[in-house]
Amino acid sequence: MPVGIEAWIHQIPPITRGWIALSVLTSLAVQCQLVTPLQLYYSPRSAFINAQPWRMATTFFYFGSISLDFVFHMFFFMRYSRMLEESSFANKKADYFWLLLLSSFMLLGLSPLVNLPFLSSPLAFVPIYLWSRRHPSTPISLFGLITITAPYLPVALVAFSWIINGTWKAAAGDLIGCAVGHVGWFLRDVWTREMVGGTTFFTEAPVRLKRLFGEE
């Protein structure tokens, strides 16, 4: 691997880097026909009744076959997940992992209700949404065509996904991700400030998890 690329990869924060690596490897495995999407998707019946628990994890790493939509989701996820991990969660790897883990459980619970077998895109929208709410005045240029402020970013990305795929159903997962991201933002930035006045189980990683990440 060229030194420049290796250095760039190591500059990406660890949680974001790990998720990107697993997602790219999963899509390459499907592209090379080492596995099929049918072995990766999530359904309660397959995961629990048919004793295939790995589906609860693989559903978050498959962004689809390598295509324009794949590049679109990976680019924006990597950009804003990295920015969030480097700012709000700087030196708080456990808390960022905890945010994604709790969001994953919420999405697994919602999946059967909205018929979403793959949850990678919805989960990717959680850090995008949270970053956009924590930087409300930041201007963002979309493809050099229009400039918006950060809170409108999730809506713009959902609309773009809709346009790429030609159907609103393709953007349904992104909308669910925004909803879960809103819950995460509300618990961390509104509830703890205005109603509880402190951190809770849902906003701060357990001590054991922090120890696992070497933070305590």
Side-chain angles (χ1 to χ4, degrees):
M1 182 182 297
V3 176
I5 296 178
E6 184 176 357
W8 175 78
I9 291 175
H10 283 289
Q11 288 176 357
I12 302 174
I15 305 300
T16 302
R17 183 172 66 239
W19 190 2
I20 291 172
L22 288 171
S23 299
V24 171
L25 288 174
T26 301
S27 289
L28 286 175
V30 172
Q31 198 81 3
C32 296
Q33 299 183 352
L34 299 177
V35 296
T36 68
L38 292 177
Q39 296 172 296
L40 304 175
Y41 79 92
Y42 169 76
S43 75
R45 180 179 181 85
S46 298
F48 300 108
I49 298 178
N50 296 339
Q52 298 174 349
W54 68 81
R55 295 177 181 271
M56 291 188 290
T58 55
T59 184
F60 294 107
F61 300 125
Y62 183 58
F63 281 82
S65 59
I66 298 178
S67 61
L68 179 61
D69 188 59
F70 171 85
V71 174
F72 164 73
H73 279 95
M74 290 297 293
F75 171 78
F76 281 100
F77 158 67
M78 180 180 69
R79 175 178 173 82
Y80 292 102
S81 176
R82 175 178 180 174
M83 292 169 65
L84 184 66
E85 192 173 352
E86 289 177 339
S87 57
S88 298
F89 293 92
N91 301 317
K92 295 181 180 179
K93 297 187 294 292
D95 285 339
Y96 190 48
F97 180 83
W98 188 239
L99 165 69
L100 296 177
L101 184 63
L102 292 180
S103 299
S104 299
F105 283 124
M106 290 182 61
L107 288 169
L108 288 173
L110 291 170
S111 174
L113 303 178
V114 291
N115 192 26
L116 288 175
F118 292 105
L119 300 171
S120 52
S121 178
L123 186 59
F125 262 76
V126 171
I128 293 173
Y129 186 91
L130 185 57
W131 182 89
S132 71
R133 296 307 297 259
R134 289 187 169 182
H135 301 81
S137 60
T138 302
I140 298 172
S141 176
L142 290 179
F143 312 108
L145 300 176
I146 59 174
T147 300
I148 59 175
T149 53
Y152 295 100
L153 175 64
V155 177
L157 294 183
V158 169
F160 188 71
S161 180
W162 187 343
I163 293 172
I164 288 179
N165 293 281
T167 171
W168 70 269
K169 292 182 179 180
D174 299 340
L175 288 171
I176 296 297
C178 289
V180 173
H182 183 79
V183 172
W185 167 77
F186 179 82
L187 290 175
R188 283 167 175 76
D189 294 4
V190 179
W191 182 271
T192 56
R193 182 182 68 245
E194 299 183 6
M195 299 182 183
V196 177
T199 58
T200 68
F201 172 81
F202 297 103
T203 61
E204 186 173 356
V207 173
R208 290 185 178 180
L209 185 60
K210 289 187 176 183
R211 289 174 179 167
L212 183 63
F213 281 89
E215 296 178 2
E216 196 170 297

